[in-house]
């Protein structure tokens, strides 16, 4: 991806990683369009960054995604970078007497269906460019799940797999397919306290490392991996995967009384 002169659409551009990427791409003289549901934030961010554009989008609404994509195709036929970044994370207690299936469904809708639908709708435009890039945000938790976020982690594992197939199928087109794999970063994804959690990577540090990778690294393998996420990314290749899974989940067990869900060796949920 060239550093400047792109037309970049970023979903989930109203906060966190998407907003920070939008601001840095804008500073580098790219035409940036941010999308999200919170109109007040779209207005505030675009007002602070003259030239940046905001378009309302709820990726859970398939009619809206279709109409949005049609507007993008008509107004920005030069679109050459799509950043599929919108996502939600919700805890789920699968051992509860009643499991809330709709939580799982809403995660799948936002994190998977929204990505697939928007990508399909914009691929014809991306294929028309000399060079274009699709960046999709997965997670380090695609590789080692946190058991209290079962559908979230599975949705990101889905994206990891799907992106490999997409990359392969598009290998003879001008479309580069990149997977952005964040570690735990200071945003409000998991609630307001995450933004100041000292165990999370500061957002500015994360974005700086991502931009350095985009600028300097050979990305033919397709993954944007900062140092902090490498242990998770490669955990399955190591002999101590089970210990890594246990360590991650003992830190974040749903409740102490239920910690056996993630700590019971006879029921190894990782395999
Ligand atoms: N922060 C981390 O630790 C971390 C780690 C790994 C992966 N990630 C991934 O990074 C991405 C960005 O998350 P973040 O950490 O930056 O959290 P965030 O600040 O909560 O950002 C989430 C973004 O997604 C948008 N969004 C959510 N539901 C949407 C919907 N139905 N339609 C359109 N937009 C929607 C939100 O915008 P509106 O509310 O305005 O719609 C918001 O801009 C997510 O895919 C997340 O899974 C984050």
């Amino acid at each position: 991806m060239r550093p400047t002169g792109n037309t970049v659409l970023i979903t989930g551009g109203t906060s966190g990683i998407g907003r920070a990427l939008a601001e840095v791409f804008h500073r580098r003289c790219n035409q940036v369009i941010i999308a999200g549901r919170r109109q007040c934030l779209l207005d505030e961010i675009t007002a602070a960054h003259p030239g940046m554009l905001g378009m309302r989008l709820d990726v859970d609404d398939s009619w809206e995604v279709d109409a949005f994509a049609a507007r993008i195709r008509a107004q920005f036929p030069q679109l050459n970078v799509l950043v599929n970044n919108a996502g939600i994370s919700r805890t789920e207690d699968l051992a509860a007497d009643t499991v809330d299936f709709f939580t799982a469904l809403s995660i799948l809708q936002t994190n998977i269906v929204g990505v697939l639908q928007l990508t399909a709708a914009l691929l014809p435009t991306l294929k028309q460019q000399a060079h274009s890039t699709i960046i999709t945000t997965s997670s380090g938790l695609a590789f080692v799940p946190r058991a209290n976020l079962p559908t979230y982690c599975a949705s990101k594992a889905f994206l990891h797999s799907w992106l490999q197939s997409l990359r392969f199928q598009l290998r003879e087109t001008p479309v580069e397919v990149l997977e952005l794999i964040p570690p735990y970063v200071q945003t409000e994804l998991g609630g307001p306290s995450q933004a100041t959690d000292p165990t999370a990577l500061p957002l500015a540090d994360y974005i700086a490392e991502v931009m350095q990778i985009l600028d300097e690294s050979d990305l033919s393998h397709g993954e944007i991996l900062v140092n902090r996420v490498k242990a998770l990314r490669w955990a399955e290749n190591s002999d101590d995967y089970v210990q890594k899974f246990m360590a991650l989940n003992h830190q974040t067990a749903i409740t102490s009384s239920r910690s056996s869900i993630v700590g019971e060796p006879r029921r190894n949920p990782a395999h």
Side-chain angles (χ1 to χ4, degrees), residues 189-204:
L189 182 71
S193 61
Q194 182 175 331
T196 52
D197 185 341
T199 68
L201 186 60
L203 180 58

Side-chain angles (χ1 to χ4, degrees), residues 53-251:
L53 300 171
M55 285 173 66
R56 197 194 172 279
L57 172 66
D58 181 348
V59 297
D60 294 353
D61 181 334
S62 66
W63 292 103
E64 202 176 308
V65 175
D66 269 349
F68 174 88
R71 278 178 67 200
I72 291 284
R73 287 193 301 266
Q75 289 178 30
F76 305 99
Q78 77 282 17
L79 180 83
N80 73 322
V81 180
L82 167 64
V83 184
N84 285 312
N85 170 75
I88 56 169
S89 164
R90 303 278 183 268
T91 56
E92 295 167 278
D93 185 352
L94 302 181
D97 291 339
T98 309
V99 173
D100 179 10
F101 168 69
F102 290 100
T103 299
L105 203 57
S106 69
I107 296 167
L108 298 178
Q109 181 67 44
T110 309
N111 294 8
I112 297 179
V113 179
V115 172
L116 271 55
Q117 191 186 357
L118 190 62
T119 303
L122 293 177
L123 254 178
T125 303
L126 295 168
K127 281 199 249 174
Q128 278 166 13
Q129 317 304 335
H131 300 286
S132 59
T133 303
I134 298 172
I135 300 177
T136 302
T137 310
S138 68
S139 169
L141 296 179
F143 304 93
V144 185
R146 250 180 65 180
N148 64 340
L149 301 169
T151 307
Y152 174 77
C153 298
S155 74
K156 298 301 187 176
F158 177 106
L159 289 180
H160 174 68
S161 173
W162 181 77
L163 287 166
Q164 291 175 69
S165 302
L166 181 70
R167 186 176 303 119
F168 186 79
Q169 290 199 19
L170 296 181
R171 69 194 182 286
E172 285 168 9
T173 75
V175 187
E176 172 187 38
V177 176
L178 300 179
E179 179 178 0
L180 180 66
I181 308 178
Y184 184 43
V185 177
Q186 287 180 345
T187 70
E188 296 197 353
L189 182 71
S193 61
Q194 182 175 331
T196 52
D197 185 341
T199 68
L201 186 60
L203 180 58
D205 294 355
Y206 178 60
I207 297 300
E209 200 175 337
V210 166
M211 295 314 291
Q212 194 179 1
I213 292 168
L214 280 175
D215 289 344
E216 296 172 9
S217 302
D218 168 19
L219 288 173
S220 51
H221 59 290
E223 297 182 6
I224 306 170
L225 284 169
V226 299
N227 282 326
R228 181 78 74 97
V229 84
K230 287 181 179 167
L232 283 177
R233 171 63 184 93
W234 303 117
E236 264 194 330
N237 295 19
S238 65
D239 292 337
D240 59 348
Y241 177 80
V242 173
Q243 287 88 328
K244 285 181 173 151
F245 175 85
M246 296 298 189
L248 179 71
N249 283 295
H250 276 304
Q251 288 160 17

